[in-house]
Amino acid sequence: MAQFPDAWDYKAAHVPSPLSEALEKGRQAKAAEKKAAYKQAKRQRLKKAKQLVPAEQVGREQVSEREKRARAAERRMALNEQGRLCFCCQKSLAGLIPFEKFENKFCSM
C-alpha cells in the first residue's frame, strides 16, 4: 500500500492502513515483554519441578531401572497367565464376559 497508494481501492477491500513506526515499535516491545515473561515463568516452573523431584524419589531411587522393568513385566505376565487381560489391548477383563478365539481372550469384538 505504501508503494502504490492509487493502484487499488484499499477501502473497498477492507485493507487496514499500514502501521506507523511508533505503532510497530510498540507492538514489537509488547511482544518482547510477553516473551520475556513467558521465559521467566518457564524457568520458575522448571526450578520448582527440580526441587520436587528429589523429594519424591527418595524411596524409588534404591531400585534400579532394570529391576523396575522386570517387576512390571512379571506383573503383566502373572495377570496374563490368569487370563485376566485382553489379548489385543491388554486391558483388564475383571467384571467383563470375554470371548475366546484360538485360546486367546478378548474384551470386545
Side-chain angles (χ1 to χ4, degrees), residues 31-74:
E33 183 179 314
K34 186 176 179 181
K35 188 175 181 179
Y38 174 76
K39 283 184 177 182
Q40 184 177 3
K42 187 176 179 181
R43 277 190 225 116
Q44 288 177 351
R45 283 194 309 266
L46 288 175
K47 189 176 182 181
K48 192 178 226 182
K50 285 181 182 179
Q51 291 173 353
L52 292 177
V53 169
E56 294 174 354
Q57 292 185 351
V58 171
R60 297 183 201 171
E61 226 172 72
Q62 296 172 355
V63 179
S64 68
E65 185 68 27
R66 186 173 181 173
E67 183 66 24
K68 289 179 193 176
R69 290 176 188 229
R71 289 181 184 173
E74 287 174 358

Side-chain angles (χ1 to χ4, degrees), residues 5-41:
D6 298 328
W8 306 96
D9 188 8
Y10 293 104
K11 290 184 181 181
H14 301 289
V15 175
S17 62
L19 295 177
S20 65
E21 289 183 26
L23 290 174
E24 187 66 32
K25 286 181 182 179
R27 182 181 275 183
Q28 289 174 353
K30 188 176 180 181
E33 183 179 314
K34 186 176 179 181
K35 188 175 181 179
Y38 174 76
K39 283 184 177 182
Q40 184 177 3

